[in-house]
Amino acid sequence: MPAVAAAAAYWAGALSARSRGWPLHRALLFTAGVGAVLATVLDPLATRSHEDFAVLAGAHLLAGMLGPLLLVLSRPVTLALRTLDVVPARRLAGLLRSRPLRFLTFPVTAAVLNVGGMVLMFRTGIFAAMQDSQPVHWLVTFHLAAAGYLYTAALVGRDPMPHRGGIRLRAAVLVASAAAHNILAKSLYADPPPGVPQAAGEAGALVLYYGGGLVELALVILLCRQWYVSARPGKPVAPGADPGSDPGADPGSDQRAR
């Protein structure tokens, strides 16, 4: 129900007069992102992920990596700032400037929450609890999706974010977190979680390694594109702004966020 409500709210905003011709592909990206996360807690994927480690690894990629990337590309915060009434829009702008959100969206913090959640999921008792309890499965999926969204938004998001990190910091965090994810996948290949047969562990580790690598490659391309657009000759940069901070951001929405 929350997923359906989120998708309905997004489409209502995208189709409203205030959206000023919001691109259809962003609404489709948001719907696909919600669907990718939702599919991991619904049958048949939810049941099969309890039986097959490779399917669980694929579900992890959908909920924690691909789904968040699609959601970030849909730019929901920009749409909300465009379409909300004045008071809710100001509250949202205040939340964007708040200290807790500044801490959570700091690239290092977001990376620790994201990669750390993956490590805890596969290397602690949380893995067995997920297999035995559906509510725990839902909670872990929520964490994967939320942490994945914060991480992706902190690195390549184009929604208004007054505290966005510099391009060099984001690039360093992306490289370090990709390396950590690959190390985790290789460790699972050599030593699967308790109760997972060796062959199934190897198959799941390969899904994590190569599937995660594709999403990380997409992040690298998006980050390099932002750097290229911001650094090309003749591009005006606002005084005091980070040259790689937010190329292509919606001017009106950014002004309201400030």
Side-chain angles (χ1 to χ4, degrees):
M1 290 178 64
V4 172
Y10 189 100
W11 276 95
L15 297 175
S16 70
R18 292 182 179 180
S19 68
R20 303 194 299 276
W22 190 254
L24 176 62
H25 74 272
R26 291 182 187 164
L28 296 176
L29 286 171
F30 186 87
T31 306
V34 170
V37 176
L38 185 61
T40 65
V41 294
L42 299 178
D43 285 332
L45 196 58
T47 298
R48 290 201 59 197
S49 66
H50 290 272
E51 303 168 350
D52 189 333
F53 185 69
V55 176
L56 177 63
H60 153 71
L61 292 179
L62 287 176
M65 300 185 75
L66 180 60
L69 175 60
L70 296 174
L71 293 174
V72 168
L73 292 177
S74 71
R75 300 173 69 175
V77 177
T78 300
L79 178 63
L81 288 171
R82 277 194 187 187
T83 57
L84 287 173
D85 291 333
V86 174
V87 173
R90 287 179 177 173
R91 290 175 179 172
L92 177 57
L95 177 64
L96 294 173
R97 295 191 298 266
S98 65
R99 289 186 177 180
L101 194 62
R102 179 175 186 174
F103 174 74
L104 290 174
T105 57
F106 182 62
V108 176
T109 306
V112 170
L113 290 173
N114 187 41
V115 180
M118 300 177 197
V119 174
L120 291 176
M121 171 181 161
F122 290 115
R123 289 305 188 193
T124 68
I126 293 176
F127 180 80
M130 283 180 58
Q131 304 299 92
D132 298 333
S133 172
Q134 192 175 49
V136 174
H137 186 171
W138 292 343
L139 288 173
V140 172
T141 300
F142 173 78
H143 172 82
L144 288 175
Y149 181 89
L150 283 174
Y151 171 77
T152 308
L155 294 186
V156 300
R158 294 175 63 186
D159 274 325
M161 188 182 295
H163 315 299
R164 191 179 307 282
I167 193 76
R168 293 179 180 84
L169 173 62
R170 287 184 279 150
V173 169
L174 176 54
V175 171
S177 55
H181 187 268
N182 291 340
I183 291 172
L184 174 63
K186 291 180 179 180
S187 73
L188 292 171
Y189 187 93
D191 181 24
V196 177
Q198 184 66 35
E202 292 176 358
L206 290 175
V207 171
L208 286 174
Y209 186 83
Y210 290 107
L214 290 175
V215 178
E216 288 158 359
L217 177 61
L219 293 177
V220 170
I221 292 172
L222 290 170
L223 187 60
C224 288
R225 180 182 179 277
Q226 289 187 6
W227 171 79
Y228 173 77
V229 170
S230 65
R232 62 188 176 186
K235 177 179 172 58
V237 179
D242 173 13
S245 61
D246 195 18
D250 180 86
S253 299
D254 185 63
Q255 193 67 24
R256 296 179 72 179
R258 292 178 185 278

